[in-house]
Amino acid sequence: MSIPACARCRPSAASRHLRRLLSGAPQTSQVRRSFSTEPAAAPPAPPQHATIFSGIQPTGVPHLGNYLGAMRQWKRLQDAAGPEDRLYFSIVDLHAITMPQDAPVLRQRSREMLAALMAIGLDPERCTMFYQSAVPAHSELMWILSCTASMGYLGRMTQWKSKLTMNDNRMSLDDEAVGQKLKLGLFSYPVLQAADILIHRATHVPVGDDQRQHLEFARECATNFNATYDGGSLVSPETITTETPRVMSLQNPRNKMSKSAPNHRSRILITASPDEIRSRIKGAVTDSHNWVSYDPEGRPGVANLLELWSQCDPKGRSPAGLAADCDGMHLADFKKQVSEAIVKELEGIGARYEEILDKRAGQWVEQIQAAGAEKARQNADETMRMVRDAVGLAGF
């Protein structure tokens, strides 16, 4: 079965903006609003090529929030990349086991996530996709980095606090309750995340607002290593950020859309059928006012739908602009408009996903992963030769 590429799989204006950004060409004000790097002041001279790394948890079929928040940007980065650029996208299964996992389920979810990445248009000929656990150098570099990482810095990170679900962001490592619940893997999660980036000598890392702290820590790890060891030359990466809003639950619009939410109608999977998308949006929680306005605090449900529509709008209208265009429209008609925008955005993904999973009697996904892992191992080994030599460890 041959399925034509959708509009999303063709290079976009945002992709061309990103190409100019990474090549160091002058930026227009519109580019600065859409994409930026940090630090913004006096950026370093651009390298001969860009090396981009990003990872995603193996949660199975992604939902709309995963797609709009990260995956679509990966596709745009691929579109923007020149032949000399390198892109590494990892399914971070080692990160997943900071919380208990069932082994067969973890394997299946990793496979489904890889199929989903290809279904949205990531091309194994243009980027390297692999399971994190298939490249042992990630874990080896993590240990070496942990020897120069600061416990105090890690203690201030928000990741482990949010995962403990103790409802107190002021938690301290001195608290007995924290010591009983906190596992070392969760606490040192940012060190592995830093190793993921540094092992591939990434020059740019796409992150959301909630991950900026982790990228700053990766820079800290690179700085510490290079200062500690003569000959250390780990690359300190820059940030690629986009103004992507948080995609909220369709049933509780003050919470993020999540696969872990018990109500399956709170989310839309990227493989959902058009009828399923329409049904989920029709049943989305709004309020008792039968008109459209953009008020994130006062009307979070309506605001969330406007944000979704804005993200899927080919005209690039803002949520407030869409609300103005909907003046006098009832919520039922408004929801139909939102539904059709999402249906168009996700058009063809479900069919491509099923085709990919079935290709070569179900073996193609693993073949793509194995080939990607081999490329990633070769690249990581280059870094580890430098690291081992600088530290004084045995070569290989």
Side-chain angles (χ1 to χ4, degrees), residues 72-146:
R72 184 172 65 172
Q73 187 185 9
W74 293 8
K75 177 63 176 65
R76 289 174 173 172
L77 286 164
Q78 177 187 268
D79 292 341
E84 71 283 1
D85 300 320
R86 296 179 295 178
L87 295 88
Y88 295 90
F89 298 130
S90 180
I91 295 164
V92 289
D93 48 357
L94 291 173
H95 286 296
I97 64 172
T98 58
M99 307 300 286
Q101 301 286 337
D102 180 76
V105 173
L106 178 60
R107 292 189 194 99
Q108 179 62 22
R109 288 178 175 172
S110 297
R111 183 171 180 268
E112 291 171 347
M113 179 59 76
L114 181 54
L117 292 178
M118 289 190 283
I120 69 162
L122 290 187
D123 182 351
E125 297 296 321
R126 302 180 64 188
C127 63
T128 301
M129 293 176 281
F130 62 98
Y131 301 154
Q132 181 189 29
S133 61
V135 184
H138 285 245
S139 301
E140 182 181 1
L141 182 58
M142 178 201 176
W143 169 250
I144 294 170
L145 294 178
S146 71

Coordinates of all heavy atoms in Angstrom, one line a residue, residues 72-146:
R72 N 6.6 17.2 16.0 CA 6.4 18.0 14.8 C 7.7 18.9 14.6 O 8.1 19.1 13.5 CB 5.2 18.9 14.9 CG 4.9 19.7 13.6 CD 3.6 20.4 13.6 NE 3.5 21.4 14.6 CZ 2.4 22.2 14.8 NH1 1.4 22.1 13.9 NH2 2.4 23.1 15.7
Q73 N 8.3 19.4 15.7 CA 9.5 20.2 15.6 C 10.6 19.3 15.1 O 11.5 19.8 14.3 CB 9.8 20.8 16.9 CG 11.0 21.7 16.9 CD 11.4 22.2 18.2 OE1 11.0 21.7 19.2 NE2 12.3 23.2 18.2
W74 N 10.7 18.0 15.5 CA 11.7 17.2 14.9 C 11.6 17.0 13.4 O 12.6 17.1 12.7 CB 11.6 15.8 15.6 CG 11.9 15.7 17.0 CD1 12.2 16.8 17.9 CD2 12.1 14.5 17.8 NE1 12.4 16.3 19.1 CE2 12.3 14.9 19.1 CE3 11.9 13.2 17.5 CZ2 12.5 14.0 20.2 CZ3 12.1 12.3 18.6 CH2 12.4 12.7 19.9
K75 N 10.4 16.9 12.9 CA 10.2 16.8 11.5 C 10.6 18.1 10.8 O 11.2 18.0 9.7 CB 8.7 16.5 11.2 CG 8.3 16.5 9.7 CD 9.0 15.3 9.0 CE 8.6 15.2 7.6 NZ 9.0 16.4 6.8
R76 N 10.3 19.2 11.4 CA 10.8 20.5 10.8 C 12.3 20.6 10.8 O 12.9 21.2 9.9 CB 10.1 21.7 11.6 CG 8.6 21.8 11.3 CD 8.0 22.8 12.2 NE 6.6 23.0 11.8 CZ 5.7 23.8 12.4 NH1 6.1 24.4 13.5 NH2 4.5 23.9 12.0
L77 N 12.9 20.1 11.9 CA 14.4 20.1 11.9 C 14.9 19.3 10.8 O 15.9 19.6 10.2 CB 14.8 19.6 13.3 CG 14.7 20.6 14.5 CD1 14.8 19.8 15.8 CD2 15.7 21.7 14.4
Q78 N 14.3 18.1 10.6 CA 14.8 17.3 9.5 C 14.7 18.0 8.2 O 15.6 17.9 7.3 CB 14.0 16.0 9.5 CG 14.3 15.0 8.4 CD 13.4 13.8 8.3 OE1 13.7 12.8 8.8 NE2 12.3 14.0 7.6
D79 N 13.5 18.6 8.0 CA 13.3 19.4 6.7 C 14.4 20.5 6.5 O 14.8 20.8 5.4 CB 11.9 20.0 6.7 CG 10.8 19.0 6.6 OD1 11.1 17.8 6.2 OD2 9.7 19.3 6.9
A80 N 14.8 21.1 7.7 CA 15.7 22.2 7.6 C 17.1 21.8 7.4 O 18.0 22.6 7.0 CB 15.6 23.0 8.9
A81 N 17.4 20.5 7.8 CA 18.8 20.1 7.8 C 19.4 20.0 6.4 O 18.7 19.5 5.5 CB 18.9 18.7 8.5
G82 N 20.7 20.4 6.3 CA 21.4 20.2 5.0 C 22.1 18.8 5.0 O 22.1 18.1 6.1
P83 N 22.7 18.5 3.9 CA 23.4 17.1 3.9 C 24.5 17.0 4.9 O 24.9 15.9 5.2 CB 23.9 17.1 2.4 CG 23.9 18.5 2.0 CD 22.8 19.2 2.7
E84 N 25.1 18.1 5.3 CA 26.2 18.0 6.2 C 25.8 17.9 7.7 O 26.6 17.7 8.6 CB 27.2 19.2 6.1 CG 26.6 20.5 6.5 CD 25.6 21.2 5.6 OE1 25.3 20.5 4.6 OE2 25.1 22.3 5.9
D85 N 24.5 18.2 8.0 CA 24.0 18.2 9.3 C 23.6 16.8 9.8 O 23.3 15.9 9.0 CB 22.7 19.1 9.4 CG 23.0 20.5 9.1 OD1 24.1 21.0 9.5 OD2 22.2 21.1 8.4
R86 N 23.7 16.5 11.1 CA 23.4 15.2 11.6 C 22.3 15.4 12.7 O 22.3 16.2 13.5 CB 24.6 14.6 12.2 CG 25.7 14.3 11.2 CD 26.9 13.7 11.9 NE 27.6 14.7 12.8 CZ 28.7 14.4 13.5 NH1 29.2 13.2 13.4 NH2 29.2 15.3 14.3
L87 N 21.3 14.5 12.6 CA 20.2 14.5 13.6 C 20.1 13.1 14.2 O 20.1 12.1 13.6 CB 18.9 14.8 12.9 CG 18.7 16.2 12.2 CD1 19.3 16.2 10.8 CD2 17.3 16.6 12.3
Y88 N 20.0 13.1 15.6 CA 19.9 11.9 16.4 C 18.6 12.0 17.2 O 18.5 12.9 18.1 CB 21.1 11.7 17.3 CG 22.4 11.5 16.5 CD1 23.2 12.5 16.1 CD2 22.8 10.2 16.2 CE1 24.4 12.3 15.4 CE2 24.0 10.0 15.4 CZ 24.8 11.1 15.1 OH 25.9 10.8 14.4
F89 N 17.7 11.1 17.0 CA 16.5 11.1 17.8 C 16.4 9.7 18.5 O 16.4 8.7 17.9 CB 15.3 11.3 16.9 CG 15.3 12.6 16.2 CD1 15.1 12.7 14.8 CD2 15.5 13.8 16.9 CE1 15.1 14.0 14.2 CE2 15.5 15.1 16.3 CZ 15.3 15.1 14.9
S90 N 16.3 9.8 19.8 CA 16.4 8.6 20.6 C 15.1 8.3 21.4 O 14.5 9.2 21.9 CB 17.6 8.7 21.6 OG 17.7 7.5 22.4
I91 N 14.7 7.0 21.4 CA 13.6 6.6 22.3 C 14.3 6.2 23.6 O 15.0 5.2 23.7 CB 12.8 5.5 21.7 CG1 12.2 6.0 20.4 CG2 11.8 4.9 22.7 CD1 11.7 5.0 19.5
V92 N 14.1 7.0 24.7 CA 14.9 6.9 25.9 C 14.3 5.9 26.9 O 13.8 6.3 27.9 CB 15.1 8.3 26.5 CG1 16.1 9.2 25.6 CG2 13.8 9.1 26.7
D93 N 14.6 4.6 26.6 CA 14.0 3.6 27.4 C 14.7 3.5 28.8 O 14.1 3.0 29.7 CB 14.0 2.3 26.7 CG 15.3 1.9 26.0 OD1 16.2 2.7 26.0 OD2 15.4 0.8 25.4
L94 N 16.0 3.9 28.8 CA 16.6 3.9 30.1 C 16.0 4.9 31.1 O 15.9 4.7 32.3 CB 18.1 4.2 30.0 CG 19.0 3.1 29.3 CD1 20.4 3.6 29.0 CD2 19.0 1.8 30.1
H95 N 15.6 6.1 30.5 CA 14.9 7.0 31.4 C 13.6 6.5 31.9 O 13.2 6.8 33.0 CB 14.7 8.3 30.6 CG 15.9 9.2 30.4 ND1 16.6 9.7 31.4 CD2 16.6 9.5 29.2 CE1 17.7 10.4 30.9 NE2 17.7 10.3 29.6
A96 N 13.0 5.7 31.0 CA 11.6 5.2 31.4 C 11.7 4.3 32.7 O 10.7 4.3 33.4 CB 11.0 4.4 30.2
I97 N 12.8 3.6 32.9 CA 12.8 2.7 34.0 C 13.1 3.4 35.4 O 13.2 2.7 36.4 CB 13.8 1.5 33.8 CG1 15.2 2.0 33.7 CG2 13.4 0.7 32.5 CD1 16.3 0.9 33.6
T98 N 13.1 4.7 35.4 CA 13.2 5.4 36.7 C 11.9 5.1 37.4 O 11.8 5.3 38.6 CB 13.4 6.9 36.6 OG1 12.4 7.5 35.7 CG2 14.8 7.2 35.9
M99 N 10.8 4.7 36.7 CA 9.6 4.3 37.3 C 9.4 2.9 36.9 O 9.8 2.4 35.8 CB 8.4 5.2 36.8 CG 8.6 6.7 37.0 SD 8.8 7.2 38.7 CE 7.1 7.0 39.3
P100 N 8.7 2.0 37.7 CA 8.6 0.6 37.4 C 7.9 0.4 36.1 O 7.0 1.0 35.7 CB 7.7 0.1 38.6 CG 7.9 1.1 39.7 CD 8.1 2.4 39.0
Q101 N 8.5 -0.6 35.3 CA 8.0 -0.9 34.0 C 7.8 -2.4 33.9 O 8.6 -3.2 34.4 CB 8.9 -0.4 32.9 CG 9.2 1.1 32.9 CD 8.1 1.9 32.4 OE1 7.2 1.4 31.6 NE2 8.0 3.1 32.8
D102 N 6.8 -2.9 33.1 CA 6.7 -4.3 32.7 C 7.5 -4.5 31.5 O 7.3 -3.8 30.5 CB 5.2 -4.6 32.5 CG 5.0 -6.0 32.1 OD1 5.1 -6.9 33.0 OD2 4.8 -6.3 30.9
A103 N 8.4 -5.5 31.5 CA 9.4 -5.6 30.4 C 8.7 -5.8 29.0 O 9.1 -5.1 28.1 CB 10.3 -6.8 30.7
P104 N 7.8 -6.7 28.8 CA 7.2 -6.8 27.5 C 6.4 -5.5 27.0 O 6.5 -5.2 25.8 CB 6.2 -8.0 27.6 CG 6.7 -8.8 28.8 CD 7.3 -7.7 29.7
V105 N 5.8 -4.9 28.0 CA 5.1 -3.6 27.6 C 6.1 -2.5 27.2 O 5.9 -1.8 26.3 CB 4.2 -3.2 28.8 CG1 3.6 -1.8 28.6 CG2 3.1 -4.2 29.1
L106 N 7.2 -2.4 27.9 CA 8.2 -1.4 27.6 C 8.8 -1.7 26.2 O 8.9 -0.7 25.4 CB 9.4 -1.5 28.6 CG 10.5 -0.5 28.4 CD1 10.1 0.9 28.3 CD2 11.6 -0.7 29.4
R107 N 9.0 -2.9 25.9 CA 9.5 -3.2 24.5 C 8.5 -2.9 23.4 O 8.8 -2.3 22.4 CB 9.8 -4.7 24.4 CG 11.0 -5.2 25.2 CD 11.4 -6.6 24.9 NE 12.4 -7.1 25.9 CZ 12.0 -7.9 26.9 NH1 10.7 -8.3 27.0 NH2 12.9 -8.3 27.8
Q108 N 7.2 -3.2 23.7 CA 6.2 -2.9 22.7 C 6.0 -1.4 22.6 O 5.8 -0.9 21.5 CB 4.9 -3.6 23.2 CG 3.7 -3.3 22.2 CD 3.9 -3.8 20.8 OE1 4.7 -4.7 20.6 NE2 3.2 -3.3 19.8
R109 N 6.0 -0.7 23.7 CA 5.8 0.8 23.6 C 7.0 1.5 22.9 O 6.8 2.5 22.2 CB 5.7 1.4 25.0 CG 4.3 1.0 25.6 CD 4.2 1.6 27.0 NE 2.8 1.3 27.6 CZ 2.5 1.6 28.8 NH1 3.4 2.1 29.7 NH2 1.2 1.4 29.2
S110 N 8.2 0.9 23.1 CA 9.4 1.5 22.3 C 9.2 1.3 20.9 O 9.4 2.2 20.0 CB 10.6 0.8 22.8 OG 10.9 1.1 24.2
R111 N 8.7 0.1 20.5 CA 8.5 -0.2 19.1 C 7.4 0.7 18.5 O 7.5 1.2 17.4 CB 8.1 -1.7 18.9 CG 7.9 -2.2 17.5 CD 7.8 -3.7 17.5 NE 7.6 -4.2 16.2 CZ 6.4 -4.4 15.6 NH1 5.3 -4.1 16.3 NH2 6.3 -4.8 14.4
E112 N 6.3 0.9 19.2 CA 5.2 1.7 18.8 C 5.7 3.2 18.6 O 5.3 3.9 17.7 CB 4.0 1.7 19.8 CG 3.3 0.3 19.7 CD 2.3 0.1 20.9 OE1 2.3 1.0 21.8 OE2 1.6 -0.8 20.8
M113 N 6.5 3.7 19.5 CA 7.0 5.0 19.4 C 7.8 5.2 18.2 O 7.7 6.2 17.5 CB 7.8 5.4 20.7 CG 8.3 6.9 20.7 SD 7.0 8.1 20.5 CE 6.3 8.1 22.2
L114 N 8.7 4.3 17.9 CA 9.5 4.4 16.7 C 8.7 4.4 15.5 O 8.9 5.2 14.5 CB 10.6 3.2 16.7 CG 11.5 3.2 15.5 CD1 12.3 4.6 15.4 CD2 12.5 2.1 15.6
A115 N 7.7 3.5 15.4 CA 6.8 3.5 14.3 C 6.0 4.8 14.1 O 5.8 5.3 13.0 CB 5.8 2.4 14.4
A116 N 5.7 5.4 15.3 CA 5.0 6.7 15.2 C 5.9 7.8 14.7 O 5.4 8.7 13.9 CB 4.5 7.1 16.6
L117 N 7.1 7.8 15.1 CA 8.1 8.8 14.6 C 8.2 8.7 13.0 O 8.2 9.8 12.4 CB 9.4 8.6 15.2 CG 9.5 8.9 16.7 CD1 11.0 8.7 17.2 CD2 9.1 10.4 17.0
M118 N 8.3 7.5 12.5 CA 8.3 7.4 11.1 C 7.0 7.7 10.4 O 7.0 8.3 9.3 CB 8.8 6.0 10.7 CG 10.2 5.7 11.0 SD 10.9 4.1 10.4 CE 10.2 3.0 11.6
A119 N 5.9 7.5 11.1 CA 4.6 7.8 10.5 C 4.4 9.3 10.4 O 3.6 9.7 9.5 CB 3.5 7.2 11.4
I120 N 5.0 10.1 11.2 CA 4.8 11.6 11.1 C 5.8 12.1 10.0 O 5.7 13.3 9.7 CB 5.0 12.3 12.4 CG1 6.4 12.3 12.9 CG2 4.0 11.8 13.4 CD1 6.8 13.3 13.9
G121 N 6.7 11.3 9.5 CA 7.6 11.7 8.4 C 9.0 11.7 8.7 O 9.8 12.1 7.8
L122 N 9.5 11.3 9.9 CA 10.9 11.1 10.1 C 11.5 10.0 9.2 O 10.9 8.9 9.1 CB 11.2 10.9 11.6 CG 11.0 12.0 12.5 CD1 11.5 11.7 13.9 CD2 11.6 13.3 12.0
D123 N 12.5 10.3 8.5 CA 13.1 9.4 7.5 C 14.4 8.8 8.0 O 15.4 9.6 8.2 CB 13.3 10.2 6.2 CG 13.8 9.4 5.0 OD1 14.2 8.2 5.2 OD2 13.8 10.0 3.9
P124 N 14.5 7.5 8.1 CA 15.8 6.9 8.6 C 17.0 7.2 7.6 O 18.1 7.0 8.0 CB 15.4 5.4 8.6 CG 14.2 5.2 7.8 CD 13.5 6.5 7.9
E125 N 16.7 7.6 6.4 CA 17.8 8.0 5.5 C 18.3 9.4 5.8 O 19.4 9.8 5.4 CB 17.3 8.0 4.1 CG 16.9 6.6 3.6 CD 18.1 5.6 3.6 OE1 19.2 6.1 3.3 OE2 17.9 4.5 4.0
R126 N 17.5 10.2 6.6 CA 17.9 11.6 6.9 C 18.2 11.9 8.3 O 18.8 12.9 8.7 CB 16.8 12.5 6.4 CG 16.5 12.4 4.9 CD 15.4 13.3 4.5 NE 15.8 14.7 4.6 CZ 14.9 15.8 4.4 NH1 13.7 15.5 4.1 NH2 15.4 17.0 4.6
C127 N 17.8 11.0 9.2 CA 18.1 11.1 10.6 C 18.4 9.7 11.2 O 18.0 8.7 10.6 CB 17.0 11.8 11.3 SG 15.4 10.9 11.3
T128 N 19.0 9.7 12.4 CA 19.3 8.5 13.1 C 18.4 8.3 14.2 O 18.3 9.1 15.1 CB 20.8 8.5 13.6 OG1 21.6 8.7 12.5 CG2 21.1 7.2 14.3
M129 N 17.6 7.2 14.2 CA 16.6 6.9 15.2 C 17.0 5.6 15.9 O 17.4 4.6 15.2 CB 15.2 6.8 14.7 CG 14.7 8.1 14.1 SD 13.0 7.9 13.4 CE 13.5 7.3 11.7
F130 N 17.0 5.5 17.2 CA 17.5 4.4 18.0 C 17.0 4.3 19.4 O 16.5 5.3 19.9 CB 19.1 4.4 18.0 CG 19.7 5.6 18.7 CD1 20.1 5.4 20.0 CD2 19.8 6.8 18.1 CE1 20.6 6.5 20.7 CE2 20.3 7.9 18.8 CZ 20.8 7.7 20.1
Y131 N 17.1 3.1 20.0 CA 16.7 3.0 21.4 C 18.0 3.4 22.2 O 19.1 2.9 21.9 CB 16.3 1.5 21.7 CG 15.1 1.0 21.0 CD1 15.0 -0.4 20.7 CD2 14.1 1.9 20.5 CE1 13.9 -0.8 20.1 CE2 13.0 1.4 19.8 CZ 12.9 0.0 19.6 OH 11.8 -0.5 18.9
Q132 N 17.7 4.1 23.2 CA 18.8 4.6 24.1 C 19.6 3.4 24.6 O 20.9 3.4 24.7 CB 18.3 5.4 25.2 CG 19.2 6.0 26.2 CD 18.5 6.6 27.4 OE1 17.4 6.2 27.7 NE2 19.0 7.6 28.0
S133 N 19.0 2.4 25.1 CA 19.6 1.2 25.7 C 20.5 0.4 24.7 O 21.3 -0.4 25.1 CB 18.6 0.3 26.3 OG 17.7 -0.2 25.4
A134 N 20.3 0.7 23.4 CA 21.1 0.0 22.4 C 22.5 0.6 22.2 O 23.3 0.1 21.4 CB 20.4 -0.1 21.1
V135 N 22.8 1.7 22.9 CA 24.1 2.4 22.8 C 24.6 2.5 24.2 O 24.4 3.5 24.9 CB 23.9 3.8 22.2 CG1 25.2 4.5 22.0 CG2 23.1 3.7 20.8
P136 N 25.4 1.6 24.6 CA 25.9 1.5 26.0 C 26.7 2.8 26.4 O 26.9 3.1 27.6 CB 26.8 0.3 26.0 CG 26.3 -0.6 24.9 CD 25.8 0.4 23.9
A137 N 27.3 3.5 25.4 CA 28.1 4.7 25.8 C 27.3 5.7 26.5 O 27.9 6.5 27.3 CB 28.7 5.2 24.5
H138 N 26.0 5.8 26.3 CA 25.2 6.7 27.1 C 25.4 6.5 28.6 O 25.5 7.4 29.4 CB 23.7 6.6 26.7 CG 23.3 7.1 25.4 ND1 22.5 8.2 25.2 CD2 23.7 6.8 24.1 CE1 22.4 8.5 23.9 NE2 23.1 7.6 23.2
S139 N 25.3 5.2 29.0 CA 25.4 4.9 30.4 C 26.8 5.1 30.9 O 27.0 5.5 32.1 CB 24.9 3.4 30.7 OG 23.6 3.3 30.2
E140 N 27.8 4.7 30.1 CA 29.2 4.9 30.5 C 29.5 6.3 30.7 O 30.2 6.7 31.8 CB 30.1 4.3 29.5 CG 31.6 4.4 29.8 CD 32.5 3.8 28.8 OE1 32.0 3.3 27.7 OE2 33.7 3.8 29.0
L141 N 29.1 7.2 29.8 CA 29.4 8.6 30.0 C 28.7 9.2 31.2 O 29.2 10.1 31.9 CB 29.1 9.4 28.7 CG 29.4 10.9 28.8 CD1 30.9 11.1 29.1 CD2 29.0 11.6 27.5
M142 N 27.5 8.7 31.4 CA 26.7 9.1 32.6 C 27.5 8.9 33.9 O 27.6 9.8 34.7 CB 25.4 8.4 32.7 CG 24.6 8.8 34.0 SD 23.4 7.6 34.4 CE 22.8 8.3 36.0
W143 N 28.1 7.7 34.0 CA 28.9 7.5 35.3 C 30.1 8.4 35.4 O 30.4 9.0 36.4 CB 29.4 6.0 35.3 CG 30.4 5.8 36.4 CD1 31.7 5.6 36.2 CD2 30.1 5.8 37.8 NE1 32.3 5.4 37.5 CE2 31.4 5.6 38.4 CE3 29.0 6.0 38.5 CZ2 31.5 5.6 39.8 CZ3 29.1 6.0 39.9 CH2 30.3 5.8 40.5
I144 N 30.8 8.7 34.3 CA 31.9 9.6 34.3 C 31.5 11.0 34.6 O 32.2 11.7 35.4 CB 32.7 9.5 32.9 CG1 33.3 8.1 32.8 CG2 33.8 10.5 32.9 CD1 33.8 7.8 31.4
L145 N 30.4 11.4 34.0 CA 29.9 12.8 34.3 C 29.5 12.9 35.8 O 29.6 14.0 36.4 CB 28.7 13.1 33.4 CG 29.1 13.3 31.9 CD1 27.8 13.6 31.2 CD2 30.1 14.4 31.7
S146 N 28.9 11.8 36.3 CA 28.4 11.9 37.7 C 29.6 12.1 38.7 O 29.3 12.6 39.8 CB 27.6 10.6 38.1 OG 28.5 9.5 38.2

